[in-house]
Amino acid sequence: VQLQASGGGLVQPGGSLTLSCTASGGTISIYTMSWFRQAPGKEREFVIGITGTGATRYVSDFVKARLFVSRDISKNQVYLQMINLKPEDTAVYYCAATGRAGNWVPIRDEEYDYWGQGTQVTVSS
């Protein structure tokens, strides 16, 4: 499956942005789809994911009540809705997919087989 992330850009602190991940060559309903991000000088980190059955998972506090994952199976797209953005959310955001996880969302990037090219999100005034 091929993934293409889009929707990044420059946004002011407190603003909102929704990223899209478009899949081709496979239906997202059979994959666990996740978002990762990599800030400058830091390692890539897991953000949030959604299984083929629609279960979601996040593990970090920075996600809570600000970042949300959803999907549109008919469009074969997964979304990352981000609200109340902060400068520390500045990063390249990647979407990833795995068909090996069953109804689970892995958080280690080595457990994902397919990656999009990344989209830059910059939060700055």
Side-chain angles (χ1 to χ4, degrees):
V1 64
Q2 294 80 45
L3 305 176
Q4 183 169 359
S6 61
L10 174 63
V11 62
Q12 292 187 341
S16 302
L17 203 60
T18 297
L19 307 182
S20 300
C21 177
T22 302
S24 58
T27 176
I28 61 173
S29 63
I30 65 170
Y31 292 94
T32 290
M33 306 288 295
S34 291
W35 290 93
F36 288 76
R37 72 183 187 181
Q38 187 168 20
K42 295 187 178 182
E43 293 187 353
R44 187 162 55 191
E45 63 177 343
F46 172 79
V47 177
I48 193 168
I50 184 167
T51 69
T53 62
T56 63
R57 181 189 183 198
Y58 69 89
V59 296
S60 298
D61 287 343
F62 71 80
V63 175
K64 190 175 182 179
R66 296 197 307 119
L67 279 63
F68 306 92
V69 64
S70 62
R71 62 180 185 170
D72 186 332
I73 294 176
S74 67
K75 295 182 179 179
N76 226 26
Q77 290 182 323
V78 177
Y79 309 103
L80 178 64
Q81 181 188 12
M82 303 184 289
I83 65 173
N84 190 23
L85 282 162
K86 304 176 180 181
E88 51 265 43
D89 294 316
T90 294
V92 177
Y93 284 73
Y94 298 89
C95 60
T98 177
R100 297 182 279 141
N103 195 38
W104 182 243
V105 181
I107 65 172
R108 299 186 307 165
D109 55 9
E110 57 261 38
E111 298 188 67
Y112 288 82
D113 300 310
Y114 310 99
W115 291 85
Q117 84 284 10
T119 185
Q120 175 72 47
V121 173
T122 302
V123 184
S124 175
S125 54

